[in-house]
Amino acid sequence: MTIFRTARGMRDFLPEGAKMMKYIEGKARRVAQLYGYKEIITPVVESYELLAAKAGEEVRSRMYAFKDLGGRKVALRPEFTASVARLVATTLRNEPKPLRLFCVGSLYRYDEPQKGRFREFWQSNYELMGSSKPEGDAEIIMLTNSLMKSVGLKNCVFKVGHVGVLRGILSQENVEEQVQNEIMQLMDKKQYEATLKLVEDAGTSKCLATLKKLMETKGSKVSQILKTMEQQVEGYERAVDAVGNLREILKLVSETGEKIDMIVEAGFARGLEYYTGMIFEVYVPEMDISLGGGGRYDRLIELFGGEPTPAVGVAHGIDRIMMAMQKQKTSLRIEEEKRVMIIPVKEELNREALKISRMLREAGIPVEIEVMGRKMSKALEDADRRNIDYAIIVGEKELKNGAVVIRNLRKREQKTVKIENIIETIKGNKL
Ligand code: AMP
C-alpha cells in the first residue's frame, strides 16, 4: 500500500508549530493595526504574466507555473507585492492616497529546500502606496522593528542600502535596463567578480573603479559610511541623490529615539527587479538568512497600467521568525485558558454531559468531552496526559442533587459542586 507523504519541500505544521505561526501572524496583524494598515486577502493563484512582470529572474524561474483547465497560464504567487500593485492599479485606482495595505498568507517558490528556505512559506506583507517621502520609507523600517520586538526577538540588525546608487551609476553610463537587472542579480548573490566582468562587457569600464570601491563600503557607523559613499559616487548625479535620500530616511528613523542597529551596505542589492530606492533586510545574529526584506518601488503600479504611484513595502518571513524565536528561546506570551474535560460515569449520562458542555462553552470555557467510552480512571489519566486543568465527572448520585464532581487535575483535589456553580468555580479558580 502506498504511504503518502507531503510533496517535496512542503511541510505539515503540528499543533505546537501551528500555534507559533498563528501567534506571529497575530502579532503582525496587531502591528498592522498600530500603524494603520488595512488587511486585504488576495488569491494564491494569479496570472503568470502579472507575477513574472517584475519579479526578477531568480524568482521568475522558480515559480509554480501551470496552465489551468481553461488553458490560461497561471502561477502560485511567489510574493504579495504584484497582487497588491494589481489592486492599486485597478480596483483601488481612485482611492485616496496614501493607501496602507496589509496581507498575510502562503507563498510558493520552487527553491531547493534547505535550512530556512521552503517551497511553501508564509509572509506578513505591508505596502504603503502613494507617498514618495522618506517618512514612508522610515515607517516601513520602524514597523519591521516593531514586529521583531513584539514577538520578543533580540539583537536585530538591519542591513540597508539604496538601489539608486548602483542603478544611478549604470544609467549614467548608458547600461541598458536588462543588463542592469542582470548586474543587480549578481550583486544580490555577492558574485562581485562576475558583476565587474559583466559591467566591463557592457562597455563601461569607466565606472569599474567606483563600483569596486562601493562593493567594499559597508559598516555600522552610518554617517561615516554615507559620507564615504557620497565621495565615491561623485559626478554621478542620481547616485549622489540616492545617498542623500538614504541619509534622510535613516536620520528620520534615528530621530524617533528608537535604537536600531544598522549596517549600511553600498553594494547591497535584492533579488526583485522592481525596487527603485531604499532597500533593507533584517537579521538576528543567530541566523545568516534574512527574516524580512523590503524597499521602495516607485514604478510598479504604472507598469501594471495604474496611475504613477510611488510605493514602499516590506515582507517578513513568518517561518523564519519562528526559527529565530526558537533559536533565541523566546517564549510565547499567550494567556493560557483553563481547559475542561467532561467525563460521564456511564453512557446514560451522556446527555447531561453534553448539556453541561454547552453551558460552559457559552460561558467561554474550552471543553472536551470524553468520547472513547473509557473507564473513569483511564479517562482521568488521558485528561492528565492532555494537560487538561479540570475534569468534570458526571455521576448519577451527584446529579440527583443537581451537582457534579469537579477535579483539579494539577492539584489532584476534588469537590462536589452544584451545576449552577460550575462556571464560577472554574473561572474564579475556586478549586
Ligand atoms: P522576498 O520576498 O524575497 O523579499 O523575501 C522576504 C522574506 O520572505 C525573506 O526575508 C524571508 O524571511 C522570507 N522568504 C523568502 N523566501 C523564502 C523561502 N523560500 N522560504 C522561507 N522564507 C522565505
Side-chain angles (χ1 to χ4, degrees):
M1 211 173 77
T2 318
I3 296 187
F4 292 111
R5 299 185 202 285
T6 54
R8 186 166 151 75
M10 299 291 158
R11 297 160 296 160
D12 296 312
F13 288 89
L14 300 182
E16 272 306 303
K19 181 168 150 188
M20 211 157 165
M21 293 287 283
K22 291 294 160 189
Y23 173 81
I24 301 165
E25 181 180 321
K27 295 286 181 190
R29 187 165 285 114
R30 179 65 189 146
V31 167
Q33 283 168 349
L34 285 172
Y35 282 79
Y37 287 66
K38 298 263 167 34
E39 184 161 2
I40 53 170
I41 300 173
T42 60
V44 170
V45 175
E46 291 271 12
S47 87
Y48 174 82
E49 224 184 313
L50 171 94
L51 297 171
K54 268 288 183 184
E57 197 42 44
E58 181 76 15
V59 171
R60 201 160 31 230
S61 63
R62 296 182 193 285
M63 277 208 275
Y64 277 86
F66 54 98
K67 281 214 169 104
D68 71 10
L69 293 181
R72 300 169 199 90
K73 187 138 191 214
V74 293
L76 305 185
R77 61 186 179 200
E79 51 136 1
F80 276 118
T81 306
S83 304
V84 183
R86 168 182 58 71
L87 264 180
V88 174
T90 56
T91 319
L92 300 177
R93 192 184 186 102
N94 298 320
E95 285 293 301
K97 306 292 180 305
L99 270 169
R100 288 187 170 92
L101 299 171
F102 165 71
C103 36
V104 60
S106 59
L107 302 147
Y108 302 84
R109 292 183 196 171
Y110 202 78
D111 279 325
E112 218 20 67
Q114 48 181 292
K115 224 162 122 237
R117 194 170 289 285
F118 313 107
R119 289 185 175 172
E120 180 185 49
F121 59 99
W122 277 259
Q123 282 183 344
S124 55
N125 186 90
Y126 306 73
E127 312 284 355
L128 170 52
M129 307 271 187
S131 167
S132 60
K133 300 264 181 273
E135 287 82 352
D137 305 63
E139 173 171 308
I140 291 290
I141 294 178
M142 296 302 301
L143 158 169
T144 299
N145 187 54
S146 295
L147 176 60
M148 299 300 144
K149 266 177 42 178
S150 78
V151 298
L153 285 176
K154 296 190 191 73
N155 308 321
C156 288
V157 181
F158 283 70
K159 181 163 107 180
V160 200
H162 198 298
V163 296
V165 176
L166 294 180
R167 287 205 189 255
I169 295 172
L170 296 172
S171 300
Q172 197 163 326
E173 296 288 351
N174 297 317
V175 177
E176 277 173 48
E177 193 175 323
Q178 186 47 39
V179 182
Q180 283 189 28
N181 292 345
E182 285 172 41
I183 292 171
M184 300 304 267
Q185 293 282 339
L186 288 173
M187 288 291 288
D188 181 31
K189 292 192 207 129
K190 307 217 173 310
Q191 297 179 4
Y192 296 140
E193 290 298 317
T195 306
L196 293 172
K197 180 156 186 321
L198 194 57
V199 174
E200 216 173 348
D201 290 349
T204 50
S205 44
K206 212 177 106 213
C207 63
L208 277 178
T210 307
L211 293 181
K212 244 187 224 162
K213 274 191 262 168
L214 285 171
M215 286 170 188
E216 286 157 12
T217 304
K218 60 177 164 187
S220 56
K221 294 200 169 109
V222 174
S223 33
Q224 193 185 314
I225 297 290
L226 289 170
K227 205 165 171 189
T228 311
M229 282 168 72
E230 215 154 44
Q231 288 159 357
Q232 286 168 341
V233 300
E234 211 188 321
Y236 291 103
E237 217 171 288
R238 269 152 71 182
V240 173
D241 287 349
V243 179
N245 176 240
L246 187 57
R247 171 175 288 125
E248 228 177 314
I249 293 163
L250 299 185
K251 188 161 165 265
L252 284 166
V253 173
S254 84
E255 278 172 358
T256 62
E258 178 81 19
K259 170 116 191 43
I260 301 182
D261 284 332
M262 299 259 183
I263 291 186
V264 177
E265 211 177 294
F268 178 30
R270 302 202 76 235
L272 301 163
E273 268 166 25
Y274 47 66
Y275 291 119
T276 55
M278 180 277 296
I279 48 171
F280 74 101
E281 282 174 353
V282 60
Y283 290 83
V284 282
E286 292 82 357
M287 282 162 62
D288 58 4
I289 44 177
S290 66
L291 304 186
R296 174 165 288 284
Y297 56 97
D298 283 347
R299 285 195 286 276
L300 189 62
I301 292 146
E302 228 174 312
L303 188 92
F304 291 165
E307 301 291 329
T309 309
V312 55
V314 62
H316 310 116
I318 295 181
D319 322 57
R320 289 201 191 160
I321 292 176
M322 174 161 96
M323 285 170 70
M325 290 168 71
Q326 285 162 342
K327 286 208 191 289
Q328 293 196 350
K329 303 202 173 20
T330 312
S331 50
L332 309 195
R333 277 164 282 180
I334 300 178
E335 224 174 277
E336 294 287 351
E337 289 179 295
K338 294 272 185 273
R339 291 161 58 218
V340 173
M341 174 152 334
I342 302 194
I343 311 168
V345 168
K346 53 183 188 184
E347 227 176 281
E348 295 82 87
L349 300 170
N350 285 355
R351 250 175 30 146
E352 268 319 307
L354 278 173
K355 260 165 80 178
I356 295 170
S357 72
R358 194 187 126 215
M359 176 182 90
L360 296 191
R361 290 189 190 116
E362 282 192 356
I365 299 171
V367 181
E368 289 170 46
I369 290 204
E370 208 296 312
V371 287
M372 302 300 285
R374 288 187 173 118
K375 293 230 167 350
M376 185 54 58
S377 62
K378 289 280 173 215
L380 285 172
E381 247 175 59
D382 177 60
D384 211 22
R385 194 170 54 83
R386 289 171 196 278
N387 289 321
I388 299 277
D389 300 282
Y390 294 103
I392 295 181
I393 300 161
V394 184
E396 223 159 17
K397 200 174 88 215
E398 290 80 14
L399 261 189
K400 281 205 181 104
N401 300 318
V404 293
V405 172
I406 303 186
R407 183 176 173 81
N408 183 323
L409 292 170
R410 310 243 186 254
K411 295 190 195 159
R412 300 184 182 276
E413 285 169 11
Q414 63 184 50
K415 68 178 178 188
T416 305
V417 175
K418 289 270 185 207
I419 290 178
E420 62 267 28
N421 295 333
I422 299 177
I423 293 170
E424 188 194 321
T425 306
I426 291 172
K427 284 201 160 171
N429 290 319
K430 290 190 176 159
L431 177 67

